[in-house]
Amino acid sequence: MIYLDNSATTMLKPVGVAEAVANAINESGNYARGAYTSAIWAGRTLHEARKEIAKLFNLGDNQTVAFCANATTALNTAILGGIEPGCHVITSVLEHNAVLRPLYRMQQTADISIDFLPADDIGNIHVEDAKRLLRRDTKALVLTHASNVTGNSVDIAAFGKFARENELLFIVDAAQSAGSIPIDFDSMNADILCFTGHKYLMGPQGTGGLCMRKSTRINPLIYGGTGVDSFNHDQPINYPDRLEAGTQNIHSIAGLLYALKFIDETGLENIIARKMALFTQLYEGLQTIDNIKIYGDLYQKERTSTLSINIGDMDSATVSDILSTEYDICTRSGAHCAPKMHEALGTERQGAVRLSISYFNTERNIEETINALSAIAF
Amino acid sequence: MSEKLSLVIAFDATSDAFAAEDVFRQNKLSGRLIPLPESISAGCGLAWRAEPTLEKELISALKSIDITSAHIYYLIL
């Protein structure tokens, strides 16, 4: 099998991640529920994982990581708990439904209004459009760091500067970029950075979180036990505890911790270089095939190793199914939970075949994929 | 078990308790995490128990990681 749906989840994890999860199942008690050995083990594991995330995203001492189940939970927490009712919000057509649906929900229940930054022909958005959409009641900017369809990155630093100058709450969706593009939380001017652990951080599913300043105020999405302050009717006032109600997924976080150490030891720059070499091999190969249309900005200095294509006017689902059944190549067809991106690309009916590359793919994988697509396109 | 005077540090967040344990270990400051004594606050949580003579070093270590809101107690435990 050739697995090229890494933007959905990386299936091949660093050797040792699964063992770390199994070990945690045998060793871990419940975080913050006692000072006995196995509960302390859980606490140390969570603390080490916070440290590794902080190191990877360059967080300072006054910033923290609140863990949750995935990027969707993190984005729901940030959007529903951080954006004030009745305000105007700027977002973009690049966004995933993990951003769009909480915003639409707030449109219905909290009277917010939304404007969307448009994308140009190759799927990029521009800060000049944000300046044009800015209103007196604009209070928040919510943007992905990288499109899950085209792989294009967004100039987050420029948008962060815009957000800071206009005192907007700036929420960044790093679901696709974490592990694919270097992230410096401070230089982004982001208030909240939402990530997942199971995509390009190569950890287990069920892990994700929010990076934030301890002074940023976010209302919890989930209310319940935290192991502290039990007689308080509200969640604890301090972060990250305020956002971590319920039993933490220490088993999977132990696996994520192992994956984060793998990234640190391997070097993020080496991981990115490896993925981008394979990405270049893929798009250069596909560019030689008539009838294949490639979407996105292939020549960005920083982007993810995700590529979306179509073959003529073939349904993307048909192409993806042929790749699976005849070549055992795993890809993602359809709209990728990013409806406005597909509207912008003109692919809302056809969808697109998404090929997303991980550190553990090989040159041979890419060569066989090019050959398969060439045969389908012929 | 004989009772004796202990220094107990209570934290505003559980995450701070584990960050404190980490920095104390790095600085080779002895002590351990204990369940938060009810005489400090009812309702569970964690605290750090150590020898009273270590107060200055413990506070210094906490400041080094920007934990300035920890609460110091002396208790017979």
Side-chain angles (χ1 to χ4, degrees):
Chain A
M1 182 180 76
I2 297 173
Y3 186 80
L4 291 176
D5 197 15
N6 294 286
S7 284
T9 193
T10 46
M11 196 176 148
L12 294 175
K13 311 295 185 187
V15 173
V17 168
E19 191 180 338
V21 174
N23 183 51
I25 289 169
N26 291 321
E27 296 288 341
S28 184
N30 202 336
Y31 169 65
R33 271 42 172 193
Y36 50 86
T37 310
S38 62
I40 295 291
W41 193 98
R44 287 174 182 161
T45 300
L46 198 63
H47 173 66
E48 287 300 314
R50 283 193 226 280
K51 277 173 61 177
E52 287 294 330
I53 289 287
K55 189 174 174 184
L56 184 64
F57 298 154
N58 200 27
L59 304 188
D61 284 336
N62 62 342
Q63 294 154 356
T64 192
V65 182
F67 282 103
C68 59
N70 45 46
T72 298
T73 309
L75 285 160
N76 271 263
T77 303
I79 291 168
L80 299 173
I83 295 176
E84 61 184 75
C87 74
H88 173 246
V89 179
I90 299 173
T91 185
S92 86
V93 299
L94 274 57
E95 306 310 315
H96 189 278
N97 272 336
V99 166
L100 298 176
R101 285 177 171 164
L103 287 175
Y104 292 145
R105 177 72 183 161
M106 286 196 77
Q107 200 172 31
Q108 292 172 350
T109 61
D111 200 29
I112 67 163
S113 54
I114 308 167
D115 271 311
F116 295 89
L117 297 165
D120 62 22
D121 291 347
I122 54 173
N124 287 327
I125 58 173
H126 303 279
V127 76
E128 290 72 22
D129 287 314
K131 291 173 185 170
R132 182 176 53 77
L133 293 174
L134 187 70
R135 301 184 347 195
R136 280 187 182 176
D137 61 342
T138 307
K139 297 290 182 190
L141 175 65
V142 190
L143 291 180
T144 186
H145 190 189
S147 164
N148 72 315
V149 177
T150 65
N152 288 10
S153 70
V154 167
D155 187 353
I156 285 294
F159 280 101
K161 184 169 178 285
F162 164 79
R164 190 63 63 230
E165 286 169 354
N166 294 285
E167 298 180 351
L168 308 181
L169 178 75
F170 187 26
I171 300 170
V172 176
D173 172 6
Q176 295 294 324
S177 60
S180 285
I181 299 171
I183 289 174
D184 185 325
F185 183 69
D186 258 348
S187 72
M188 282 179 161
N189 272 319
D191 292 295
I192 309 168
L193 180 90
C194 301
F195 67 93
T196 188
H198 71 98
K199 296 184 192 283
Y200 294 105
L201 295 183
M202 300 184 285
Q205 295 175 3
T207 56
L210 306 84
C211 301
M212 57 184 284
R213 286 172 194 81
K214 289 180 182 174
S215 58
T216 301
R217 301 275 80 107
I218 305 172
N219 291 320
L221 184 69
I222 307 289
Y223 290 79
T226 55
V228 295
D229 207 9
S230 292
F231 292 97
N232 187 348
H233 289 197
D234 192 11
Q235 292 304 110
I237 194 72
N238 295 296
Y239 298 89
D241 294 31
R242 188 165 174 77
L243 302 179
E244 290 184 342
T247 297
Q248 292 299 298
N249 185 0
I250 300 297
H251 301 155
S252 289
I253 288 171
L256 175 62
L257 173 58
Y258 190 95
L260 291 166
K261 287 180 174 173
F262 172 86
I263 291 171
D264 189 37
E265 286 162 13
T266 307
L268 180 62
E269 67 282 7
N270 295 324
I271 289 171
I272 292 171
R274 166 78 183 154
K275 287 193 289 191
M276 294 318 294
L278 295 171
F279 173 82
T280 303
Q281 181 192 350
L282 179 63
Y283 82 70
E284 286 183 350
L286 295 180
Q287 280 177 327
T288 65
I289 303 170
D290 289 341
N291 212 22
I292 285 191
K293 180 172 174 56
I294 303 175
Y295 302 96
D297 184 353
L298 303 179
Y299 304 104
Q300 278 186 319
K301 189 179 171 194
E302 284 186 341
R303 56 166 293 123
T304 72
S305 50
T306 294
L307 188 67
S308 284
I309 65 163
N310 271 317
I311 298 177
D313 58 1
M314 281 181 77
D315 180 354
S316 63
T318 302
V319 176
S320 195
D321 197 43
I322 294 170
L323 285 169
S324 171
T325 55
E326 296 186 19
Y327 300 93
D328 202 14
I329 298 172
C330 307
T331 60
R332 170 94 183 267
S333 60
H336 314 99
C337 304
K340 285 192 164 292
M341 182 78 264
H342 280 279
E343 286 170 5
L345 296 172
T347 52
E348 60 267 44
R349 286 197 63 79
Q350 188 179 15
V353 181
R354 185 180 71 182
L355 309 119
S356 47
I357 296 165
S358 92
Y359 179 72
F360 294 110
N361 284 121
T362 64
E363 287 82 357
R364 182 73 185 272
N365 289 163
I366 302 302
E367 188 182 327
E368 289 183 22
T369 302
I370 294 166
N371 290 341
L373 285 166
S374 179
I376 296 168
F378 183 67
Chain B
M1 201 174 93
S2 63
E3 294 184 336
K4 64 172 188 173
L5 185 69
S6 292
L7 182 152
V8 177
I9 305 174
F11 303 95
D12 284 346
T14 307
S15 53
D16 284 352
F18 284 98
E21 185 199 38
D22 190 9
V23 75
F24 293 158
R25 286 175 148 203
Q26 287 173 34
N27 286 280
K28 297 186 171 30
L29 297 170
S30 60
R32 68 182 179 89
L33 287 169
I34 61 168
L36 185 68
E38 62 83 23
S39 56
I40 294 176
S41 175
C44 55
L46 294 172
W48 184 261
R49 177 181 177 179
E51 292 292 332
T53 53
L54 292 174
E55 178 175 344
K56 200 177 284 182
E57 291 94 328
L58 292 166
I59 291 171
S60 172
L62 288 175
K63 279 184 180 166
S64 73
I65 54 169
D66 206 31
I67 294 178
T68 54
S69 57
H71 311 280
I72 310 286
Y73 300 88
Y74 285 92
L75 302 175
I76 303 289
L77 294 173

